[in-house]
Amino acid sequence: MSVLLEVKALSKRFSRKDSTGQAFNAVSGVDFLLEEGGFLTVTGHSGSGKTTMLTMLAGLITPSSGEVLFRGTNIFSLSDRRLSHLRSKEISFIPQGAELLGNISIYDNVRSPQLFSGGDAEDSGRVDYLLDFMGIGALAEEYPANLSGGEKRRVAIARALFNRPALILADEPTSDLDPENTVMILDLLKKINAEGTGIVMVTHDENAAACGTMRTCMAGGMLEPC
Ligand SMILES: Nc1ncnc2c1ncn2[C@@H]1O[C@H](COP(=O)(O)OP(=O)(O)OP(=O)(O)O)[C@@H](O)[C@H]1O
Ligand SMILES: [Mg+2]
């Protein structure tokens, strides 16, 4: 198997904007390898550095030190233009509490990565396929306000898949969902993974953490197998 993501000694130092002004490492010397089509889960207490790590893997914030190699290329050595291209085509980040755009339909939400990247001709077949894959084909013309929390999460995942990324970074995709919707979202992520998409998923849910092929825990900015 070839390597999709290699993370080497990744650290992020922040300075607290309180009276102490002290610097601390939110992420500290993280190393791991994710094979093509692998599924890594990350658990850990609130404040342990999970979101900070994920946003670096997505190229959204720059590490203080260390490297993130996507298929062998250090993403932080890329020009802004190439990094944006990578982020819109290859690496898809589903932020914690991912919100949909309220004033456009579900259909347009799913194809919004294309709307904003000024991409190719409309790919309506792709939107229909993804909505059906997520079991929400009947909701295409609805607006986000009319959907349940679980349905909105499914739309956010469909949107993340629109450009056929090789890697999905999901920050607590099942938080605030009831057990039934949690199982549904996890089944969908497993299905996406079985079709070859690599996943790094941060979660507080033990069942979700057991979905991956590689399970890790974060504590004090450090990542360890668990
Ligand atoms: N931009 C920032 N500036 C300063 N400190 C920050 C910044 N972003 C995050 N932190 C701090 O870094 C630490 C890790 O935050 P992070 O959001 O990565 O935690 P987390 O593990 O995702 O927590 P949760 O489970 O609550 O989402 C926290 O102490 C947080 O306050
Ligand atoms: Mg977080």
Side-chain angles (χ1 to χ4, degrees), residues 9-33:
L10 190 67
S11 298
K12 183 69 185 182
R13 199 169 175 79
F14 286 127
S15 41
R16 285 259 172 236
K17 290 192 182 60
D18 57 13
S19 54
T20 66
Q22 283 190 334
F24 73 104
N25 281 326
V27 172
S28 193
V30 165
D31 293 294
F32 70 85
L33 271 183

PDB file of all heavy atoms in Angstrom, residues 9-33:
ATOM      1  N   ALA A   9       6.695  15.010  13.264  1.00  0.00           N
ATOM      2  CA  ALA A   9       7.055  15.952  14.343  1.00  0.00           C
ATOM      3  C   ALA A   9       6.231  17.244  14.289  1.00  0.00           C
ATOM      4  O   ALA A   9       6.766  18.346  14.433  1.00  0.00           O
ATOM      5  CB  ALA A   9       8.557  16.258  14.274  1.00  0.00           C
ATOM      6  N   LEU A  10       4.941  17.097  14.086  1.00  0.00           N
ATOM      7  CA  LEU A  10       4.073  18.265  13.886  1.00  0.00           C
ATOM      8  C   LEU A  10       3.751  18.945  15.220  1.00  0.00           C
ATOM      9  O   LEU A  10       3.263  18.305  16.152  1.00  0.00           O
ATOM     10  CB  LEU A  10       2.776  17.795  13.212  1.00  0.00           C
ATOM     11  CG  LEU A  10       1.850  18.882  12.701  1.00  0.00           C
ATOM     12  CD1 LEU A  10       2.483  19.633  11.530  1.00  0.00           C
ATOM     13  CD2 LEU A  10       0.512  18.265  12.261  1.00  0.00           C
ATOM     14  N   SER A  11       4.023  20.237  15.271  1.00  0.00           N
ATOM     15  CA  SER A  11       3.764  20.989  16.511  1.00  0.00           C
ATOM     16  C   SER A  11       3.130  22.332  16.196  1.00  0.00           C
ATOM     17  O   SER A  11       3.372  22.915  15.133  1.00  0.00           O
ATOM     18  CB  SER A  11       5.068  21.252  17.269  1.00  0.00           C
ATOM     19  OG  SER A  11       5.676  20.041  17.660  1.00  0.00           O
ATOM     20  N   LYS A  12       2.314  22.794  17.123  1.00  0.00           N
ATOM     21  CA  LYS A  12       1.759  24.147  17.011  1.00  0.00           C
ATOM     22  C   LYS A  12       1.839  24.832  18.359  1.00  0.00           C
ATOM     23  O   LYS A  12       1.320  24.329  19.360  1.00  0.00           O
ATOM     24  CB  LYS A  12       0.296  24.097  16.545  1.00  0.00           C
ATOM     25  CG  LYS A  12      -0.315  25.470  16.347  1.00  0.00           C
ATOM     26  CD  LYS A  12       0.298  26.200  15.163  1.00  0.00           C
ATOM     27  CE  LYS A  12      -0.223  27.609  15.029  1.00  0.00           C
ATOM     28  NZ  LYS A  12       0.356  28.296  13.845  1.00  0.00           N
ATOM     29  N   ARG A  13       2.507  25.959  18.359  1.00  0.00           N
ATOM     30  CA  ARG A  13       2.710  26.712  19.588  1.00  0.00           C
ATOM     31  C   ARG A  13       1.812  27.944  19.554  1.00  0.00           C
ATOM     32  O   ARG A  13       1.775  28.669  18.560  1.00  0.00           O
ATOM     33  CB  ARG A  13       4.189  27.137  19.602  1.00  0.00           C
ATOM     34  CG  ARG A  13       4.737  27.529  20.933  1.00  0.00           C
ATOM     35  CD  ARG A  13       6.279  27.640  20.806  1.00  0.00           C
ATOM     36  NE  ARG A  13       6.851  28.139  22.041  1.00  0.00           N
ATOM     37  CZ  ARG A  13       7.055  27.388  23.114  1.00  0.00           C
ATOM     38  NH1 ARG A  13       6.750  26.116  23.117  1.00  0.00           N
ATOM     39  NH2 ARG A  13       7.577  27.935  24.198  1.00  0.00           N
ATOM     40  N   PHE A  14       1.059  28.133  20.605  1.00  0.00           N
ATOM     41  CA  PHE A  14       0.232  29.337  20.719  1.00  0.00           C
ATOM     42  C   PHE A  14       0.699  30.109  21.937  1.00  0.00           C
ATOM     43  O   PHE A  14       1.168  29.509  22.912  1.00  0.00           O
ATOM     44  CB  PHE A  14      -1.241  28.974  20.985  1.00  0.00           C
ATOM     45  CG  PHE A  14      -1.987  28.424  19.796  1.00  0.00           C
ATOM     46  CD1 PHE A  14      -2.663  27.211  19.902  1.00  0.00           C
ATOM     47  CD2 PHE A  14      -2.052  29.113  18.597  1.00  0.00           C
ATOM     48  CE1 PHE A  14      -3.381  26.695  18.832  1.00  0.00           C
ATOM     49  CE2 PHE A  14      -2.768  28.602  17.525  1.00  0.00           C
ATOM     50  CZ  PHE A  14      -3.433  27.399  17.640  1.00  0.00           C
ATOM     51  N   SER A  15       0.539  31.446  21.912  1.00  0.00           N
ATOM     52  CA  SER A  15       0.746  32.141  23.192  1.00  0.00           C
ATOM     53  C   SER A  15      -0.604  32.595  23.702  1.00  0.00           C
ATOM     54  O   SER A  15      -1.427  33.115  22.947  1.00  0.00           O
ATOM     55  CB  SER A  15       1.721  33.304  23.049  1.00  0.00           C
ATOM     56  OG  SER A  15       1.483  33.987  21.877  1.00  0.00           O
ATOM     57  N   ARG A  16      -0.822  32.330  24.954  1.00  0.00           N
ATOM     58  CA  ARG A  16      -2.091  32.681  25.596  1.00  0.00           C
ATOM     59  C   ARG A  16      -2.233  34.194  25.691  1.00  0.00           C
ATOM     60  O   ARG A  16      -1.305  34.881  26.080  1.00  0.00           O
ATOM     61  CB  ARG A  16      -2.126  32.092  27.004  1.00  0.00           C
ATOM     62  CG  ARG A  16      -2.372  30.626  27.012  1.00  0.00           C
ATOM     63  CD  ARG A  16      -3.831  30.378  27.358  1.00  0.00           C
ATOM     64  NE  ARG A  16      -4.173  28.985  27.190  1.00  0.00           N
ATOM     65  CZ  ARG A  16      -5.165  28.566  26.417  1.00  0.00           C
ATOM     66  NH1 ARG A  16      -5.890  29.418  25.746  1.00  0.00           N
ATOM     67  NH2 ARG A  16      -5.435  27.290  26.324  1.00  0.00           N
ATOM     68  N   LYS A  17      -3.423  34.669  25.358  1.00  0.00           N
ATOM     69  CA  LYS A  17      -3.625  36.116  25.424  1.00  0.00           C
ATOM     70  C   LYS A  17      -4.188  36.512  26.790  1.00  0.00           C
ATOM     71  O   LYS A  17      -5.024  37.373  26.896  1.00  0.00           O
ATOM     72  CB  LYS A  17      -4.575  36.552  24.307  1.00  0.00           C
ATOM     73  CG  LYS A  17      -3.930  36.439  22.943  1.00  0.00           C
ATOM     74  CD  LYS A  17      -4.725  37.132  21.865  1.00  0.00           C
ATOM     75  CE  LYS A  17      -4.092  36.978  20.500  1.00  0.00           C
ATOM     76  NZ  LYS A  17      -3.964  35.577  20.075  1.00  0.00           N
ATOM     77  N   ASP A  18      -3.765  35.800  27.838  1.00  0.00           N
ATOM     78  CA  ASP A  18      -4.205  36.195  29.181  1.00  0.00           C
ATOM     79  C   ASP A  18      -3.070  36.974  29.856  1.00  0.00           C
ATOM     80  O   ASP A  18      -2.087  37.331  29.217  1.00  0.00           O
ATOM     81  CB  ASP A  18      -4.618  34.956  30.002  1.00  0.00           C
ATOM     82  CG  ASP A  18      -3.485  33.956  30.105  1.00  0.00           C
ATOM     83  OD1 ASP A  18      -2.336  34.330  29.774  1.00  0.00           O
ATOM     84  OD2 ASP A  18      -3.732  32.812  30.496  1.00  0.00           O
ATOM     85  N   SER A  19      -3.217  37.217  31.152  1.00  0.00           N
ATOM     86  CA  SER A  19      -2.234  38.056  31.839  1.00  0.00           C
ATOM     87  C   SER A  19      -0.844  37.419  31.828  1.00  0.00           C
ATOM     88  O   SER A  19       0.169  38.114  31.844  1.00  0.00           O
ATOM     89  CB  SER A  19      -2.690  38.308  33.278  1.00  0.00           C
ATOM     90  OG  SER A  19      -2.936  37.052  33.890  1.00  0.00           O
ATOM     91  N   THR A  20      -0.795  36.054  31.767  1.00  0.00           N
ATOM     92  CA  THR A  20       0.511  35.388  31.784  1.00  0.00           C
ATOM     93  C   THR A  20       1.210  35.510  30.424  1.00  0.00           C
ATOM     94  O   THR A  20       2.436  35.601  30.371  1.00  0.00           O
ATOM     95  CB  THR A  20       0.365  33.889  32.108  1.00  0.00           C
ATOM     96  OG1 THR A  20      -0.342  33.262  31.043  1.00  0.00           O
ATOM     97  CG2 THR A  20      -0.383  33.673  33.417  1.00  0.00           C
ATOM     98  N   GLY A  21       0.420  35.511  29.343  1.00  0.00           N
ATOM     99  CA  GLY A  21       0.979  35.605  27.994  1.00  0.00           C
ATOM    100  C   GLY A  21       1.909  34.454  27.647  1.00  0.00           C
ATOM    101  O   GLY A  21       2.698  34.537  26.712  1.00  0.00           O
ATOM    102  N   GLN A  22       1.842  33.350  28.387  1.00  0.00           N
ATOM    103  CA  GLN A  22       2.790  32.244  28.180  1.00  0.00           C
ATOM    104  C   GLN A  22       2.496  31.458  26.909  1.00  0.00           C
ATOM    105  O   GLN A  22       1.333  31.295  26.539  1.00  0.00           O
ATOM    106  CB  GLN A  22       2.719  31.290  29.354  1.00  0.00           C
ATOM    107  CG  GLN A  22       3.450  31.837  30.564  1.00  0.00           C
ATOM    108  CD  GLN A  22       3.594  30.793  31.634  1.00  0.00           C
ATOM    109  OE1 GLN A  22       2.797  29.871  31.725  1.00  0.00           O
ATOM    110  NE2 GLN A  22       4.611  30.937  32.440  1.00  0.00           N
ATOM    111  N   ALA A  23       3.558  30.966  26.289  1.00  0.00           N
ATOM    112  CA  ALA A  23       3.391  30.131  25.100  1.00  0.00           C
ATOM    113  C   ALA A  23       3.226  28.680  25.534  1.00  0.00           C
ATOM    114  O   ALA A  23       3.770  28.266  26.553  1.00  0.00           O
ATOM    115  CB  ALA A  23       4.613  30.272  24.211  1.00  0.00           C
ATOM    116  N   PHE A  24       2.442  27.939  24.770  1.00  0.00           N
ATOM    117  CA  PHE A  24       2.287  26.508  25.050  1.00  0.00           C
ATOM    118  C   PHE A  24       2.071  25.783  23.728  1.00  0.00           C
ATOM    119  O   PHE A  24       1.623  26.376  22.748  1.00  0.00           O
ATOM    120  CB  PHE A  24       1.123  26.246  26.014  1.00  0.00           C
ATOM    121  CG  PHE A  24      -0.222  26.431  25.388  1.00  0.00           C
ATOM    122  CD1 PHE A  24      -1.002  25.334  25.027  1.00  0.00           C
ATOM    123  CD2 PHE A  24      -0.714  27.697  25.119  1.00  0.00           C
ATOM    124  CE1 PHE A  24      -2.238  25.510  24.421  1.00  0.00           C
ATOM    125  CE2 PHE A  24      -1.953  27.878  24.517  1.00  0.00           C
ATOM    126  CZ  PHE A  24      -2.715  26.783  24.178  1.00  0.00           C
ATOM    127  N   ASN A  25       2.387  24.487  23.726  1.00  0.00           N
ATOM    128  CA  ASN A  25       2.188  23.702  22.513  1.00  0.00           C
ATOM    129  C   ASN A  25       0.806  23.055  22.546  1.00  0.00           C
ATOM    130  O   ASN A  25       0.558  22.163  23.354  1.00  0.00           O
ATOM    131  CB  ASN A  25       3.252  22.602  22.401  1.00  0.00           C
ATOM    132  CG  ASN A  25       4.568  23.158  21.902  1.00  0.00           C
ATOM    133  OD1 ASN A  25       4.586  24.084  21.092  1.00  0.00           O
ATOM    134  ND2 ASN A  25       5.666  22.619  22.377  1.00  0.00           N
ATOM    135  N   ALA A  26      -0.091  23.491  21.666  1.00  0.00           N
ATOM    136  CA  ALA A  26      -1.413  22.858  21.558  1.00  0.00           C
ATOM    137  C   ALA A  26      -1.255  21.491  20.904  1.00  0.00           C
ATOM    138  O   ALA A  26      -2.005  20.556  21.198  1.00  0.00           O
ATOM    139  CB  ALA A  26      -2.353  23.734  20.746  1.00  0.00           C
ATOM    140  N   VAL A  27      -0.282  21.383  19.986  1.00  0.00           N
ATOM    141  CA  VAL A  27       0.064  20.097  19.352  1.00  0.00           C
ATOM    142  C   VAL A  27       1.575  19.958  19.483  1.00  0.00           C
ATOM    143  O   VAL A  27       2.309  20.919  19.264  1.00  0.00           O
ATOM    144  CB  VAL A  27      -0.369  20.075  17.866  1.00  0.00           C
ATOM    145  CG1 VAL A  27       0.154  18.838  17.150  1.00  0.00           C
ATOM    146  CG2 VAL A  27      -1.894  20.150  17.754  1.00  0.00           C
ATOM    147  N   SER A  28       1.995  18.757  19.866  1.00  0.00           N
ATOM    148  CA  SER A  28       3.392  18.601  20.247  1.00  0.00           C
ATOM    149  C   SER A  28       4.022  17.334  19.661  1.00  0.00           C
ATOM    150  O   SER A  28       3.721  16.229  20.104  1.00  0.00           O
ATOM    151  CB  SER A  28       3.424  18.557  21.782  1.00  0.00           C
ATOM    152  OG  SER A  28       4.717  18.697  22.249  1.00  0.00           O
ATOM    153  N   GLY A  29       4.812  17.495  18.623  1.00  0.00           N
ATOM    154  CA  GLY A  29       5.585  16.374  18.070  1.00  0.00           C
ATOM    155  C   GLY A  29       4.750  15.193  17.597  1.00  0.00           C
ATOM    156  O   GLY A  29       5.083  14.044  17.898  1.00  0.00           O
ATOM    157  N   VAL A  30       3.700  15.473  16.831  1.00  0.00           N
ATOM    158  CA  VAL A  30       2.832  14.378  16.353  1.00  0.00           C
ATOM    159  C   VAL A  30       3.433  13.716  15.112  1.00  0.00           C
ATOM    160  O   VAL A  30       3.829  14.389  14.151  1.00  0.00           O
ATOM    161  CB  VAL A  30       1.403  14.900  16.049  1.00  0.00           C
ATOM    162  CG1 VAL A  30       0.613  13.895  15.226  1.00  0.00           C
ATOM    163  CG2 VAL A  30       0.669  15.229  17.347  1.00  0.00           C
ATOM    164  N   ASP A  31       3.498  12.380  15.152  1.00  0.00           N
ATOM    165  CA  ASP A  31       3.966  11.566  14.018  1.00  0.00           C
ATOM    166  C   ASP A  31       2.927  10.500  13.722  1.00  0.00           C
ATOM    167  O   ASP A  31       2.469   9.846  14.647  1.00  0.00           O
ATOM    168  CB  ASP A  31       5.230  10.761  14.391  1.00  0.00           C
ATOM    169  CG  ASP A  31       6.428  11.628  14.646  1.00  0.00           C
ATOM    170  OD1 ASP A  31       6.896  12.269  13.705  1.00  0.00           O
ATOM    171  OD2 ASP A  31       6.887  11.642  15.816  1.00  0.00           O
ATOM    172  N   PHE A  32       2.549  10.334  12.477  1.00  0.00           N
ATOM    173  CA  PHE A  32       1.810   9.134  12.079  1.00  0.00           C
ATOM    174  C   PHE A  32       1.821   8.979  10.565  1.00  0.00           C
ATOM    175  O   PHE A  32       2.153   9.909   9.823  1.00  0.00           O
ATOM    176  CB  PHE A  32       0.367   9.120  12.633  1.00  0.00           C
ATOM    177  CG  PHE A  32      -0.575  10.121  12.017  1.00  0.00           C
ATOM    178  CD1 PHE A  32      -1.256   9.848  10.841  1.00  0.00           C
ATOM    179  CD2 PHE A  32      -0.807  11.341  12.640  1.00  0.00           C
ATOM    180  CE1 PHE A  32      -2.135  10.774  10.289  1.00  0.00           C
ATOM    181  CE2 PHE A  32      -1.684  12.270  12.094  1.00  0.00           C
ATOM    182  CZ  PHE A  32      -2.353  11.981  10.918  1.00  0.00           C
ATOM    183  N   LEU A  33       1.466   7.782  10.140  1.00  0.00           N
ATOM    184  CA  LEU A  33       1.361   7.455   8.714  1.00  0.00           C
ATOM    185  C   LEU A  33      -0.052   6.974   8.443  1.00  0.00           C
ATOM    186  O   LEU A  33      -0.584   6.164   9.203  1.00  0.00           O
ATOM    187  CB  LEU A  33       2.256   6.266   8.387  1.00  0.00           C
ATOM    188  CG  LEU A  33       3.698   6.457   7.976  1.00  0.00           C
ATOM    189  CD1 LEU A  33       4.294   5.088   7.650  1.00  0.00           C
ATOM    190  CD2 LEU A  33       3.814   7.366   6.771  1.00  0.00           C
TER     191      LEU A  33
END
